[in-house]
Amino acid sequence: DVKVTQSSRYLVKRTGEKVFLECVQDMDHENMFWYRQDPGLGLRLIYFSYDVKMKEKGDIPEGYSVSREKKERFSLILESASTNQTSMYLCASTSGGRNTEAFFGQGTRLTVV
Amino acid sequence: AQTVTQSQPEMSVQEAETVTLSCTYDTSESNYYLFWYKQPPSRQMILVIRQEAYKQQNATENRFSVNFQKAAKSFSLKISDSQLGDTAMYFCAFMKHDGNFNKFYFGSGTKLNVKP
């Protein structure tokens, strides 16, 4: 089975802290994504990566950065956490081919206090 | 830019009955893929069904089927014989292949409650 694993299910951080969310996939997928999920807004793309060390901004990149040093790992970084970044964060991966689907991690519920 | 619209924030259905979830999308692409994803209360998002835009035949997966109307840019999900385990958030998604990567666009979701 394809596995996408996020390092934490729940996190509580303080305003101003640097926060790392980690995601690992075991299917040798080229593409990896970070989404933010908020009620009524669906999933909004923060950043994605189509290869090692390659990254592209999504629709809401402000306040976030990413790192992809290895193919299987994609990290989301909140440089200075703020309360408006309290949300559910979902990681996903796909192959680079056309006929594919996205596989998701279990999500990280981040609360910034 | 692609947009995906789910106009039903929440729906309820009695166990064993049939329910249809709506989805419309806007795109100028001719080749793309459409998906329905399910997110149960435990939160892991899983694929329910997919449709390739170049295929006219509607996809089916057991109790789940779609009504794909390409000209109308509509992609609804029908769940037959609803079960309590179908209670979840359902997301409609559009995917296009763009060079090196696949880009997904998601709707805002429909929360489905299956009542006993």
Side-chain angles (χ1 to χ4, degrees):
Chain A
D1 278 353
V2 174
K3 261 203 153 172
V4 180
T5 304
Q6 294 181 230
S7 53
S8 305
R9 290 202 70 165
Y10 300 94
L11 274 180
V12 180
K13 296 292 181 179
R14 293 196 180 277
T15 300
E17 275 194 81
K18 191 168 186 176
V19 181
F20 293 85
L21 303 183
E22 307 285 346
C23 177
V24 177
Q25 50 92 7
D26 65 359
M27 280 300 292
D28 201 35
H29 282 167
E30 291 85 0
N31 299 174
M32 296 187 75
F33 308 82
W34 275 106
Y35 291 93
R36 173 176 170 158
Q37 181 181 2
D38 298 289
L41 297 177
L43 277 68
R44 294 180 291 168
L45 182 62
I46 305 171
Y47 266 97
F48 65 99
S49 168
Y50 56 89
D51 204 347
V52 176
K53 297 191 187 293
M54 307 305 290
K55 58 186 179 184
E56 294 282 344
K57 292 181 180 179
D59 301 316
I60 53 164
E62 295 78 18
Y64 304 94
S65 63
V66 291
S67 172
R68 194 161 179 207
E69 296 297 317
K70 293 185 178 181
K71 192 174 185 179
E72 67 270 19
R73 186 179 298 269
F74 191 37
S75 303
L76 179 68
I77 304 155
L78 286 66
E79 297 289 342
S80 177
S82 64
T83 55
N84 63 11
Q85 291 178 310
T86 291
S87 188
M88 172 72 77
Y89 291 87
L90 294 177
C91 175
S93 73
T94 78
S95 73
R98 290 180 180 272
N99 193 4
T100 185
E101 65 181 90
F103 295 88
F104 285 86
Q106 76 276 29
T108 296
R109 169 73 68 186
L110 173 66
T111 303
V112 183
V113 298
Chain B
Q2 278 61 229
T3 59
V4 180
T5 302
Q6 292 179 249
S7 57
Q8 305 149 316
E10 190 162 355
M11 297 184 73
S12 292
V13 64
Q14 290 295 133
E15 198 175 5
E17 292 187 348
T18 295
V19 64
T20 299
L21 280 59
S22 302
C23 174
T24 58
Y25 58 95
D26 189 20
T27 184
S28 58
E29 304 284 334
S30 58
N31 195 17
Y32 51 87
Y33 301 82
L34 296 164
F35 304 84
W36 278 98
Y37 279 89
K38 171 184 178 181
Q39 188 182 43
S42 64
R43 295 183 301 168
Q44 188 98 37
M45 191 94 75
I46 56 173
L47 179 68
V48 175
I49 198 165
R50 85 170 91 190
Q51 174 83 41
E52 293 89 347
Y54 60 86
K55 288 187 177 178
Q56 291 189 340
Q57 187 172 5
N58 289 323
T60 62
E61 286 287 341
N62 301 313
R63 298 182 295 108
F64 299 87
S65 61
V66 297
N67 183 3
F68 173 47
Q69 302 287 330
K70 191 171 184 179
K73 297 179 182 175
S74 171
F75 183 61
S76 60
L77 174 69
K78 185 170 87 170
I79 306 175
S80 303
D81 185 26
S82 296
Q83 300 176 359
L84 296 177
D86 295 332
T87 292
M89 282 289 289
Y90 287 82
F91 291 95
C92 178
F94 169 101
M95 186 199 85
K96 67 170 186 174
H97 185 76
D98 192 351
N100 294 323
F101 56 87
N102 297 307
K103 200 165 182 188
F104 290 80
Y105 301 84
F106 289 85
S108 55
T110 296
K111 185 176 182 181
L112 178 66
N113 298 300
V114 180
K115 299 182 177 181

